[in-house]
Amino acid sequence: MSGGTDTAQFSAVVVVGLLVLFYGGTFLISTRIGKREENADGYMTAGNNVGFGISAASMTATWIWASSMYASATSGYTYGISGPIHYGLWGALMILFIYPFGKRIRKVAPKAHTLAEVMYARHGRSSQLMLAGSNVVGSLISLMSNFIAGGVLISLLSPFNFIQGVVCVAAGVLLYTLWSGFRASVMTDFVQVVAMLGAVAVIVPFIFFAAGFPAAFETGADNLTPQQGNFFSSEAFMGQGAPYIAAVLAYAIGNQTIAQRLFAVKESLIKPTFITATIGYGAMVIGIGMLGVLALYLGFEPSGGDLNNLIPEMAAEYLPPALLALFFIMIVGALSSTADADLAALSSITMADVYGQGVGKEKADPKTMLLVGRITMVVATALGVTFASLQLSILDLLVFVGALWGALVFPVLASFYWEKVTNKAFTTSVLVALAVFLPVRFGWIPVDGAFGIVVDVLAVLGIGVVLGLMVFGFLGARAAKTVGVLAVLVSAPFAIGSLHEYATLCGSLVAYSVSTVICWAMSVRQEEGFDFSVIAERTGNFDDGGAAATADGQGEAPPVPGRAQRPGGAPDAGDLEPAAHTK
Protein backbone atom coordinates (compact mmCIF):
# COMPACT_ATOMS: atom_id res chain seq x y z
CA MET A 1 0.00 0.00 0.00
CA SER A 2 1.39 3.40 -0.91
CA GLY A 3 0.65 6.78 0.58
CA GLY A 4 -1.95 8.54 -1.46
CA THR A 5 -2.23 12.30 -1.07
CA ASP A 6 -3.63 13.29 -4.46
CA THR A 7 -7.16 13.91 -3.21
CA ALA A 8 -6.26 15.33 0.19
CA GLN A 9 -3.99 18.20 -0.71
CA PHE A 10 -4.85 21.75 0.25
CA SER A 11 -4.91 24.54 -2.26
CA ALA A 12 -2.22 27.18 -2.13
CA VAL A 13 -4.74 29.66 -0.71
CA VAL A 14 -5.69 27.33 2.15
CA VAL A 15 -2.05 26.61 3.09
CA VAL A 16 -1.14 30.29 3.00
CA GLY A 17 -4.19 31.01 5.14
CA LEU A 18 -3.21 28.40 7.73
CA LEU A 19 0.36 29.72 7.86
CA VAL A 20 -0.85 33.32 8.21
CA LEU A 21 -3.26 32.22 10.95
CA PHE A 22 -0.55 30.43 12.91
CA TYR A 23 2.41 32.73 12.42
CA GLY A 24 0.28 35.87 12.47
CA GLY A 25 -1.17 34.80 15.81
CA THR A 26 2.22 34.04 17.31
CA PHE A 27 3.56 37.33 15.98
CA LEU A 28 0.72 39.22 17.69
CA ILE A 29 1.53 37.45 20.95
CA SER A 30 5.19 38.43 20.63
CA THR A 31 4.30 42.08 19.97
CA ARG A 32 2.13 42.14 23.10
CA ILE A 33 5.03 41.01 25.29
CA GLY A 34 7.73 43.00 23.51
CA LYS A 35 9.29 46.09 25.02
CA ARG A 36 9.97 49.36 23.29
CA GLU A 37 13.38 49.46 24.96
CA GLU A 38 14.36 45.80 24.89
CA ASN A 39 16.57 44.44 27.67
CA ALA A 40 19.54 42.28 26.69
CA ASP A 41 19.19 39.97 29.70
CA GLY A 42 15.44 39.66 29.15
CA TYR A 43 16.11 38.86 25.50
CA MET A 44 18.27 35.93 26.62
CA THR A 45 16.64 34.57 29.81
CA ALA A 46 13.44 36.60 30.49
CA GLY A 47 14.78 37.87 33.81
CA ASN A 48 15.38 34.41 35.40
CA ASN A 49 11.85 34.56 36.81
CA VAL A 50 9.51 32.61 34.49
CA GLY A 51 6.61 30.90 36.27
CA PHE A 52 5.61 27.24 36.37
CA GLY A 53 2.94 27.09 33.66
CA ILE A 54 4.95 28.93 31.02
CA SER A 55 8.18 27.11 31.92
CA ALA A 56 6.66 23.62 31.86
CA ALA A 57 4.89 24.32 28.57
CA SER A 58 8.05 25.79 27.03
CA MET A 59 10.20 22.87 28.18
CA THR A 60 7.67 20.41 26.76
CA ALA A 61 7.26 22.27 23.47
CA THR A 62 11.00 22.67 22.99
CA TRP A 63 11.69 18.96 23.60
CA ILE A 64 8.76 18.02 21.34
CA TRP A 65 9.73 19.15 17.90
CA ALA A 66 8.47 18.02 14.54
CA SER A 67 11.61 15.91 14.33
CA SER A 68 10.57 14.11 17.53
CA MET A 69 7.24 13.24 15.98
CA TYR A 70 8.71 12.18 12.65
CA ALA A 71 11.56 10.26 14.26
CA SER A 72 9.27 8.46 16.72
CA ALA A 73 7.06 7.31 13.84
CA THR A 74 10.18 6.29 11.90
CA SER A 75 11.28 4.22 14.89
CA GLY A 76 7.88 2.54 15.05
CA TYR A 77 7.93 1.80 11.32
CA THR A 78 11.51 0.48 11.47
CA TYR A 79 11.55 -1.47 14.73
CA GLY A 80 7.90 -2.31 15.33
CA ILE A 81 5.77 -2.03 18.43
CA SER A 82 8.60 -1.22 20.85
CA GLY A 83 10.15 1.48 18.64
CA PRO A 84 8.06 4.46 19.86
CA ILE A 85 8.47 3.30 23.46
CA HIS A 86 12.24 3.29 23.10
CA TYR A 87 12.12 6.74 21.53
CA GLY A 88 9.52 8.45 23.73
CA LEU A 89 10.13 6.82 27.10
CA TRP A 90 13.88 7.37 27.21
CA GLY A 91 13.52 10.89 25.86
CA ALA A 92 10.98 11.67 28.58
CA LEU A 93 13.18 10.23 31.33
CA MET A 94 16.11 12.34 30.19
CA ILE A 95 14.04 15.47 30.88
CA LEU A 96 13.52 14.12 34.38
CA PHE A 97 17.25 13.49 34.82
CA ILE A 98 18.01 17.14 34.07
CA TYR A 99 16.43 18.62 37.16
CA PRO A 100 18.85 17.48 39.93
CA PHE A 101 21.79 18.68 37.84
CA GLY A 102 19.83 21.81 36.98
CA LYS A 103 19.38 22.68 40.63
CA ARG A 104 23.13 22.51 41.16
CA ILE A 105 23.85 24.56 38.05
CA ARG A 106 21.42 27.31 39.12
CA LYS A 107 22.87 27.31 42.64
CA VAL A 108 26.37 27.85 41.29
CA ALA A 109 25.38 30.33 38.55
CA PRO A 110 21.96 31.84 39.38
CA LYS A 111 22.09 34.62 36.77
CA ALA A 112 24.00 33.01 33.90
CA HIS A 113 22.71 33.00 30.31
CA THR A 114 24.53 30.02 28.78
CA LEU A 115 26.43 26.99 30.01
CA ALA A 116 29.40 28.13 27.96
CA GLU A 117 29.40 31.41 29.90
CA VAL A 118 29.65 29.37 33.12
CA MET A 119 32.48 27.29 31.65
CA TYR A 120 34.37 30.53 30.94
CA ALA A 121 34.00 31.54 34.58
CA ARG A 122 34.93 28.03 35.72
CA HIS A 123 37.81 27.27 33.35
CA GLY A 124 38.55 29.87 30.70
CA ARG A 125 38.27 30.57 27.01
CA SER A 126 38.98 27.18 25.40
CA SER A 127 36.35 25.30 27.42
CA GLN A 128 33.84 28.05 26.80
CA LEU A 129 34.40 28.05 23.04
CA MET A 130 34.27 24.27 22.92
CA LEU A 131 30.86 24.14 24.57
CA ALA A 132 29.57 27.16 22.65
CA GLY A 133 30.85 25.74 19.37
CA SER A 134 29.17 22.38 19.94
CA ASN A 135 25.91 24.17 20.66
CA VAL A 136 26.17 26.25 17.51
CA VAL A 137 26.59 23.06 15.48
CA GLY A 138 23.80 21.29 17.37
CA SER A 139 21.33 24.16 17.11
CA LEU A 140 22.00 24.62 13.39
CA ILE A 141 21.39 20.90 12.81
CA SER A 142 18.23 21.11 14.91
CA LEU A 143 17.08 24.17 12.98
CA MET A 144 17.80 22.42 9.71
CA SER A 145 15.86 19.29 10.69
CA ASN A 146 12.81 21.33 11.73
CA PHE A 147 12.89 23.23 8.46
CA ILE A 148 13.11 19.87 6.66
CA ALA A 149 10.02 18.69 8.53
CA GLY A 150 8.15 21.85 7.55
CA GLY A 151 9.24 21.63 3.94
CA VAL A 152 8.15 17.99 3.68
CA LEU A 153 4.78 18.77 5.25
CA ILE A 154 3.99 21.70 2.97
CA SER A 155 5.24 19.98 -0.18
CA LEU A 156 3.06 16.92 0.46
CA LEU A 157 -0.12 18.78 1.39
CA SER A 158 -0.01 21.71 -1.02
CA PRO A 159 1.08 22.77 -4.52
CA PHE A 160 4.22 24.34 -3.05
CA ASN A 161 7.53 22.48 -3.42
CA PHE A 162 9.90 21.50 -0.64
CA ILE A 163 12.14 24.57 -0.77
CA GLN A 164 9.16 26.93 -0.85
CA GLY A 165 7.80 25.16 2.23
CA VAL A 166 11.13 25.51 4.02
CA VAL A 167 11.27 29.23 3.26
CA CYS A 168 7.69 29.78 4.48
CA VAL A 169 8.37 28.08 7.80
CA ALA A 170 11.73 29.81 8.28
CA ALA A 171 10.27 33.25 7.59
CA GLY A 172 7.35 32.62 9.94
CA VAL A 173 9.55 31.53 12.85
CA LEU A 174 11.95 34.43 12.34
CA LEU A 175 9.04 36.89 12.18
CA TYR A 176 7.83 36.37 15.73
CA THR A 177 11.16 35.47 17.39
CA LEU A 178 13.31 38.32 16.11
CA TRP A 179 11.90 41.15 18.18
CA SER A 180 11.61 39.70 21.69
CA GLY A 181 13.97 36.71 21.49
CA PHE A 182 13.67 34.15 24.28
CA ARG A 183 10.65 35.91 25.78
CA ALA A 184 8.73 35.43 22.54
CA SER A 185 9.86 31.80 22.39
CA VAL A 186 8.56 30.82 25.84
CA MET A 187 5.30 32.75 25.59
CA THR A 188 4.34 31.29 22.22
CA ASP A 189 5.42 27.83 23.40
CA PHE A 190 2.52 27.82 25.86
CA VAL A 191 -0.04 28.33 23.11
CA GLN A 192 1.71 25.88 20.82
CA VAL A 193 1.92 23.03 23.35
CA VAL A 194 -1.76 23.35 24.28
CA ALA A 195 -2.64 23.14 20.58
CA MET A 196 -0.32 20.16 20.06
CA LEU A 197 -1.70 18.19 23.01
CA GLY A 198 -5.25 18.76 21.87
CA ALA A 199 -4.43 17.80 18.29
CA VAL A 200 -2.66 14.57 19.28
CA ALA A 201 -5.57 13.56 21.52
CA VAL A 202 -7.95 13.86 18.55
CA ILE A 203 -5.85 12.96 15.50
CA VAL A 204 -4.07 9.77 16.59
CA PRO A 205 -7.22 7.88 17.68
CA PHE A 206 -9.06 9.07 14.55
CA ILE A 207 -6.37 7.73 12.19
CA PHE A 208 -6.28 4.43 14.07
CA PHE A 209 -10.02 3.84 13.73
CA ALA A 210 -10.13 5.17 10.15
CA ALA A 211 -7.44 2.63 9.22
CA GLY A 212 -9.46 -0.27 10.63
CA PHE A 213 -8.13 -0.57 14.18
CA PRO A 214 -8.05 -3.07 15.84
CA ALA A 215 -8.61 -5.46 12.93
CA ALA A 216 -5.59 -4.01 11.09
CA PHE A 217 -3.28 -5.37 13.80
CA GLU A 218 -4.57 -8.87 13.14
CA THR A 219 -4.68 -8.84 9.34
CA GLY A 220 -1.37 -6.98 8.99
CA ALA A 221 0.73 -9.07 11.36
CA ASP A 222 2.35 -10.81 8.41
CA ASN A 223 3.97 -7.51 7.40
CA LEU A 224 6.21 -7.64 10.48
CA THR A 225 9.43 -9.53 10.98
CA PRO A 226 9.75 -11.56 14.21
CA GLN A 227 11.87 -8.79 15.73
CA GLN A 228 9.33 -6.09 14.77
CA GLY A 229 6.54 -8.08 16.35
CA ASN A 230 8.44 -8.66 19.60
CA PHE A 231 7.88 -6.00 22.25
CA PHE A 232 11.21 -6.96 23.86
CA SER A 233 13.10 -6.90 20.57
CA SER A 234 16.87 -6.90 21.04
CA GLU A 235 17.19 -5.33 17.58
CA ALA A 236 14.97 -2.41 18.64
CA PHE A 237 16.88 -1.93 21.87
CA MET A 238 20.36 -2.05 20.30
CA GLY A 239 19.39 -0.04 17.22
CA GLN A 240 17.12 2.56 18.82
CA GLY A 241 16.72 2.29 22.59
CA ALA A 242 20.31 2.08 23.79
CA PRO A 243 21.73 4.71 21.39
CA TYR A 244 18.93 7.06 22.31
CA ILE A 245 19.46 6.63 26.06
CA ALA A 246 23.04 7.77 25.57
CA ALA A 247 22.16 10.46 23.05
CA VAL A 248 19.40 12.21 24.98
CA LEU A 249 21.43 12.32 28.19
CA ALA A 250 23.99 14.28 26.22
CA TYR A 251 21.22 16.47 24.79
CA ALA A 252 19.96 17.16 28.29
CA ILE A 253 23.33 18.31 29.59
CA GLY A 254 24.88 20.00 26.58
CA ASN A 255 21.95 21.62 24.78
CA GLN A 256 21.67 25.41 25.12
CA THR A 257 17.92 25.40 24.41
CA ILE A 258 17.45 23.30 27.55
CA ALA A 259 19.99 25.30 29.58
CA GLN A 260 18.31 28.56 28.57
CA ARG A 261 15.01 27.39 30.07
CA LEU A 262 16.85 26.16 33.15
CA PHE A 263 18.30 29.63 33.68
CA ALA A 264 14.95 31.31 32.94
CA VAL A 265 12.61 29.42 35.29
CA LYS A 266 12.27 30.47 38.92
CA GLU A 267 14.83 28.48 40.84
CA SER A 268 12.21 27.07 43.22
CA LEU A 269 10.18 25.69 40.27
CA ILE A 270 12.88 23.64 38.54
CA LYS A 271 11.67 20.28 39.87
CA PRO A 272 7.91 20.57 39.07
CA THR A 273 8.70 22.14 35.70
CA PHE A 274 10.83 19.25 34.51
CA ILE A 275 8.57 16.55 35.98
CA THR A 276 5.57 18.02 34.15
CA ALA A 277 7.53 18.26 30.91
CA THR A 278 8.57 14.61 31.31
CA ILE A 279 4.95 13.45 31.37
CA GLY A 280 3.83 15.74 28.53
CA TYR A 281 6.67 14.73 26.24
CA GLY A 282 6.32 11.01 26.81
CA ALA A 283 2.57 10.93 26.21
CA MET A 284 2.65 12.99 23.04
CA VAL A 285 5.69 11.48 21.34
CA ILE A 286 4.80 7.85 22.06
CA GLY A 287 1.27 8.52 20.81
CA ILE A 288 2.46 9.97 17.50
CA GLY A 289 5.04 7.21 17.14
CA MET A 290 2.30 4.61 17.15
CA LEU A 291 1.26 5.92 13.74
CA GLY A 292 4.51 4.43 12.44
CA VAL A 293 3.59 1.08 13.96
CA LEU A 294 0.15 1.31 12.36
CA ALA A 295 1.73 2.08 8.98
CA LEU A 296 3.94 -0.99 9.36
CA TYR A 297 0.95 -3.24 9.99
CA LEU A 298 -0.93 -1.70 7.07
CA GLY A 299 2.00 -2.16 4.69
CA PHE A 300 1.96 1.59 4.10
CA GLU A 301 4.92 2.70 1.98
CA PRO A 302 5.97 6.37 2.08
CA SER A 303 6.61 7.91 -1.31
CA GLY A 304 10.16 7.51 -2.55
CA GLY A 305 10.93 5.34 0.46
CA ASP A 306 11.59 8.54 2.44
CA LEU A 307 10.47 7.96 6.02
CA ASN A 308 10.26 11.73 6.57
CA ASN A 309 7.09 11.49 4.42
CA LEU A 310 5.47 8.86 6.62
CA ILE A 311 3.41 10.97 9.05
CA PRO A 312 2.22 13.60 6.53
CA GLU A 313 1.13 10.91 4.10
CA MET A 314 -0.64 8.89 6.80
CA ALA A 315 -2.51 12.03 7.81
CA ALA A 316 -3.42 12.87 4.22
CA GLU A 317 -4.62 9.30 3.64
CA TYR A 318 -6.97 9.00 6.60
CA LEU A 319 -7.95 12.47 7.87
CA PRO A 320 -10.86 14.57 6.58
CA PRO A 321 -9.99 18.17 5.54
CA ALA A 322 -10.84 19.75 8.92
CA LEU A 323 -8.66 17.36 10.91
CA LEU A 324 -5.96 17.51 8.25
CA ALA A 325 -5.84 21.27 8.82
CA LEU A 326 -5.55 20.61 12.57
CA PHE A 327 -2.74 18.15 11.88
CA PHE A 328 -1.00 20.76 9.74
CA ILE A 329 -1.15 23.29 12.57
CA MET A 330 0.08 20.66 15.06
CA ILE A 331 3.21 19.87 13.05
CA VAL A 332 3.90 23.52 12.26
CA GLY A 333 3.53 24.31 15.96
CA ALA A 334 5.87 21.48 16.96
CA LEU A 335 8.63 22.46 14.56
CA SER A 336 8.22 26.19 15.29
CA SER A 337 8.45 25.75 19.07
CA THR A 338 11.87 24.17 18.71
CA ALA A 339 13.08 26.31 15.80
CA ASP A 340 12.42 29.49 17.78
CA ALA A 341 14.28 27.92 20.74
CA ASP A 342 17.25 27.23 18.48
CA LEU A 343 17.26 30.83 17.24
CA ALA A 344 17.07 32.12 20.82
CA ALA A 345 19.88 29.78 21.86
CA LEU A 346 22.14 30.83 18.99
CA SER A 347 21.51 34.50 19.66
CA SER A 348 22.33 34.05 23.36
CA ILE A 349 25.58 32.30 22.52
CA THR A 350 26.74 35.11 20.25
CA MET A 351 25.50 37.77 22.68
CA ALA A 352 26.97 36.34 25.89
CA ASP A 353 29.85 34.13 24.76
CA VAL A 354 31.11 35.84 21.63
CA TYR A 355 30.41 39.54 22.14
CA GLY A 356 29.86 39.78 25.91
CA GLN A 357 32.90 37.80 26.99
CA GLY A 358 34.92 39.07 24.05
CA VAL A 359 34.79 42.70 25.16
CA GLY A 360 34.33 41.94 28.86
CA LYS A 361 31.17 42.26 30.93
CA GLU A 362 32.02 45.72 32.21
CA LYS A 363 32.48 47.06 28.66
CA ALA A 364 29.60 45.22 26.96
CA ASP A 365 26.93 47.52 25.50
CA PRO A 366 23.44 45.99 25.90
CA LYS A 367 22.16 47.72 22.75
CA THR A 368 25.01 46.29 20.72
CA MET A 369 24.31 42.89 22.26
CA LEU A 370 20.70 43.07 21.06
CA LEU A 371 21.84 43.97 17.56
CA VAL A 372 24.29 41.04 17.59
CA GLY A 373 21.55 38.69 18.75
CA ARG A 374 19.10 39.76 16.05
CA ILE A 375 21.69 39.57 13.29
CA THR A 376 22.55 36.06 14.51
CA MET A 377 18.91 34.99 14.14
CA VAL A 378 18.77 36.23 10.55
CA VAL A 379 22.06 34.54 9.60
CA ALA A 380 21.12 31.29 11.38
CA THR A 381 17.78 31.19 9.57
CA ALA A 382 19.50 31.61 6.22
CA LEU A 383 21.98 28.82 7.05
CA GLY A 384 19.17 26.56 8.24
CA VAL A 385 17.31 27.02 4.97
CA THR A 386 20.48 26.30 2.99
CA PHE A 387 21.31 23.13 4.91
CA ALA A 388 17.69 21.94 4.83
CA SER A 389 17.93 21.63 1.05
CA LEU A 390 20.17 18.59 1.65
CA GLN A 391 17.14 16.68 3.06
CA LEU A 392 19.14 14.44 5.39
CA SER A 393 17.57 11.78 7.62
CA ILE A 394 16.11 13.43 10.72
CA LEU A 395 16.53 10.37 12.95
CA ASP A 396 20.18 9.96 11.98
CA LEU A 397 20.81 13.64 12.68
CA LEU A 398 19.29 13.43 16.15
CA VAL A 399 21.31 10.39 17.20
CA PHE A 400 24.53 11.77 15.70
CA VAL A 401 24.32 15.11 17.53
CA GLY A 402 23.46 13.42 20.80
CA ALA A 403 26.42 11.07 20.45
CA LEU A 404 28.69 13.95 19.57
CA TRP A 405 27.67 15.77 22.76
CA GLY A 406 28.42 12.64 24.76
CA ALA A 407 32.08 13.72 24.81
CA LEU A 408 31.07 16.79 26.83
CA VAL A 409 28.77 15.28 29.46
CA PHE A 410 31.22 14.18 32.15
CA PRO A 411 33.61 17.16 31.82
CA VAL A 412 30.67 19.60 32.04
CA LEU A 413 28.99 17.93 35.01
CA ALA A 414 32.24 17.36 36.86
CA SER A 415 33.03 21.04 36.45
CA PHE A 416 29.96 21.88 38.57
CA TYR A 417 30.73 19.42 41.38
CA TRP A 418 34.47 18.70 41.52
CA GLU A 419 36.87 21.51 42.31
CA LYS A 420 39.87 19.69 40.81
CA VAL A 421 38.75 19.70 37.16
CA THR A 422 41.02 22.00 35.14
CA ASN A 423 40.67 23.77 31.83
CA LYS A 424 43.39 21.54 30.36
CA ALA A 425 41.63 18.37 31.53
CA PHE A 426 38.30 19.58 30.14
CA THR A 427 39.68 20.54 26.73
CA THR A 428 41.95 17.51 26.28
CA SER A 429 39.31 14.97 27.29
CA VAL A 430 36.71 16.37 24.90
CA LEU A 431 39.08 16.61 21.93
CA VAL A 432 40.46 13.09 22.40
CA ALA A 433 36.94 11.68 22.85
CA LEU A 434 35.83 13.29 19.59
CA ALA A 435 38.95 11.98 17.84
CA VAL A 436 38.03 8.44 18.89
CA PHE A 437 34.27 8.84 18.39
CA LEU A 438 34.34 9.89 14.74
CA PRO A 439 36.29 6.92 13.27
CA VAL A 440 34.30 4.44 15.38
CA ARG A 441 30.95 5.99 14.47
CA PHE A 442 31.63 6.18 10.72
CA GLY A 443 33.77 3.05 10.35
CA TRP A 444 36.87 4.88 9.17
CA ILE A 445 39.02 2.24 10.86
CA PRO A 446 38.20 -1.49 10.71
CA VAL A 447 37.02 -2.68 14.10
CA ASP A 448 37.84 -6.34 13.57
CA GLY A 449 40.36 -8.17 15.70
CA ALA A 450 42.24 -6.52 18.54
CA PHE A 451 41.05 -2.99 17.77
CA GLY A 452 37.45 -4.20 17.93
CA ILE A 453 38.08 -5.60 21.41
CA VAL A 454 39.58 -2.27 22.53
CA VAL A 455 36.53 -0.44 21.20
CA ASP A 456 34.22 -2.88 22.99
CA VAL A 457 36.06 -2.41 26.29
CA LEU A 458 35.77 1.38 25.97
CA ALA A 459 32.09 1.06 25.09
CA VAL A 460 31.45 -1.13 28.14
CA LEU A 461 33.09 1.50 30.31
CA GLY A 462 30.76 3.97 28.61
CA ILE A 463 27.76 1.93 29.78
CA GLY A 464 28.98 2.31 33.33
CA VAL A 465 29.51 6.05 32.88
CA VAL A 466 26.01 6.65 31.44
CA LEU A 467 24.18 4.68 34.12
CA GLY A 468 26.40 6.06 36.84
CA LEU A 469 25.69 9.65 35.84
CA MET A 470 21.96 8.98 35.79
CA VAL A 471 22.09 7.67 39.35
CA PHE A 472 24.53 10.34 40.55
CA GLY A 473 22.12 13.26 40.16
CA PHE A 474 19.52 11.67 42.43
CA LEU A 475 21.44 9.44 44.85
CA GLY A 476 24.99 10.78 44.98
CA ALA A 477 28.48 9.56 44.19
CA ARG A 478 28.53 6.35 46.24
CA ALA A 479 25.41 4.94 44.58
CA ALA A 480 26.62 6.14 41.18
CA LYS A 481 29.96 4.37 41.53
CA THR A 482 28.24 1.18 42.66
CA VAL A 483 25.80 1.20 39.74
CA GLY A 484 28.55 2.10 37.27
CA VAL A 485 30.82 -0.75 38.36
CA LEU A 486 27.95 -3.26 38.39
CA ALA A 487 26.88 -2.15 34.91
CA VAL A 488 30.39 -2.75 33.57
CA LEU A 489 30.70 -6.16 35.22
CA VAL A 490 27.26 -7.35 34.09
CA SER A 491 27.52 -6.09 30.50
CA ALA A 492 31.15 -7.04 29.80
CA PRO A 493 30.64 -10.79 29.18
CA PHE A 494 27.87 -10.10 26.67
CA ALA A 495 29.21 -6.94 25.03
CA ILE A 496 32.93 -7.53 24.56
CA GLY A 497 33.38 -9.15 21.20
CA SER A 498 30.11 -7.96 19.65
CA LEU A 499 29.27 -4.42 20.72
CA HIS A 500 31.44 -2.87 17.99
CA GLU A 501 28.95 -4.20 15.43
CA TYR A 502 26.51 -1.46 16.52
CA ALA A 503 28.40 1.61 15.29
CA THR A 504 25.89 4.22 16.45
CA LEU A 505 25.64 2.91 19.99
CA CYS A 506 29.33 2.04 20.25
CA GLY A 507 30.49 5.45 19.05
CA SER A 508 28.36 7.24 21.62
CA LEU A 509 29.52 5.03 24.50
CA VAL A 510 33.16 5.42 23.49
CA ALA A 511 32.75 9.22 23.55
CA TYR A 512 31.45 9.00 27.14
CA SER A 513 34.13 6.65 28.40
CA VAL A 514 37.16 8.31 26.80
CA SER A 515 36.22 11.80 27.96
CA THR A 516 35.49 10.53 31.48
CA VAL A 517 38.70 8.54 31.90
CA ILE A 518 40.94 11.32 30.58
CA CYS A 519 39.20 14.11 32.49
CA TRP A 520 39.40 12.13 35.73
CA ALA A 521 43.02 11.06 35.19
CA MET A 522 44.20 14.61 34.45
CA SER A 523 42.32 16.12 37.39
CA VAL A 524 42.54 13.68 40.28
CA ARG A 525 46.05 14.69 41.39
CA GLN A 526 45.52 18.43 41.20
CA GLU A 527 46.37 20.06 44.50
CA GLU A 528 44.69 23.40 43.87
CA GLY A 529 40.91 23.58 44.04
CA PHE A 530 38.36 25.96 42.59
CA ASP A 531 36.09 28.15 44.70
CA PHE A 532 32.63 27.67 43.17
CA SER A 533 31.30 30.82 44.83
CA VAL A 534 33.21 33.02 42.38
CA ILE A 535 31.14 31.74 39.41
CA ALA A 536 28.17 33.80 40.56
CA GLU A 537 30.42 36.85 40.67
CA ARG A 538 31.79 36.25 37.17
CA THR A 539 28.42 35.61 35.54
CA GLY A 540 25.26 37.66 35.66
CA ASN A 541 23.35 40.52 34.11
CA PHE A 542 24.79 42.70 31.38
CA ASP A 543 22.23 45.50 31.57
CA ASP A 544 22.77 46.53 35.17
CA GLY A 545 26.49 45.80 35.29
CA GLY A 546 25.87 43.47 38.22
CA ALA A 547 28.31 40.82 37.16
CA ALA A 548 31.95 41.23 37.87
CA ALA A 549 34.45 40.55 35.15
CA THR A 550 37.10 37.92 35.50
CA ALA A 551 40.41 38.95 36.93
CA ASP A 552 41.64 40.50 33.72
CA GLY A 553 38.36 40.64 31.79
CA GLN A 554 39.51 38.05 29.28
CA GLY A 555 41.50 34.85 28.80
CA GLU A 556 41.66 32.19 31.47
CA ALA A 557 39.53 32.33 34.58
CA PRO A 558 42.16 31.67 37.28
CA PRO A 559 41.44 29.00 39.89
CA VAL A 560 41.38 29.99 43.55
CA PRO A 561 44.19 28.37 45.51
CA GLY A 562 43.36 25.89 48.20
CA ARG A 563 40.37 23.64 48.79
CA ALA A 564 37.06 24.74 47.35
CA GLN A 565 34.69 26.37 49.82
CA ARG A 566 31.35 25.32 48.45
CA PRO A 567 28.37 27.44 49.38
CA GLY A 568 25.49 26.21 51.46
CA GLY A 569 27.35 23.45 53.26
CA ALA A 570 27.27 21.15 50.22
CA PRO A 571 29.17 17.85 50.45
CA ASP A 572 32.82 17.62 49.61
CA ALA A 573 33.31 18.32 45.91
CA GLY A 574 36.34 16.11 45.83
CA ASP A 575 34.01 13.12 46.16
CA LEU A 576 31.76 14.43 43.41
CA GLU A 577 28.78 14.50 45.77
CA PRO A 578 25.74 16.33 44.41
CA ALA A 579 24.28 19.31 46.18
CA ALA A 580 21.54 18.53 48.68
CA HIS A 581 18.15 18.12 47.02
CA THR A 582 14.95 19.62 48.32
CA LYS A 583 12.24 17.03 48.89
Side-chain angles (χ1 to χ4, degrees), residues 334-404:
L335 67 90
S336 299
S337 66
T338 305
D340 64 33
D342 288 318
L343 290 179
L346 288 166
S347 67
S348 293
I349 289 170
T350 55
M351 291 168 71
D353 297 310
V354 178
Y355 172 77
Q357 299 292 358
V359 302
K361 284 187 176 293
E362 293 179 334
K363 298 179 181 179
D365 179 8
K367 291 184 178 180
T368 303
M369 292 187 75
L370 285 169
L371 178 61
V372 168
R374 287 171 176 150
I375 291 174
T376 298
M377 288 192 180
V378 174
V379 173
T381 301
L383 290 174
V385 170
T386 302
F387 294 149
S389 64
L390 300 174
Q391 290 187 262
L392 302 174
S393 168
I394 291 175
L395 184 58
D396 289 345
L397 288 173
L398 295 180
V399 175
F400 171 72
V401 174
L404 194 64

Side-chain angles (χ1 to χ4, degrees), residues 77-83 220-237 296-297:
Y77 190 81
T78 304
Y79 297 108
I81 55 179
S82 64
D222 291 340
N223 292 324
L224 279 67
T225 66
Q227 282 288 324
Q228 289 173 329
N230 180 8
F231 185 80
F232 299 101
S233 165
S234 60
E235 184 177 304
F237 180 75
L296 181 62
Y297 274 90

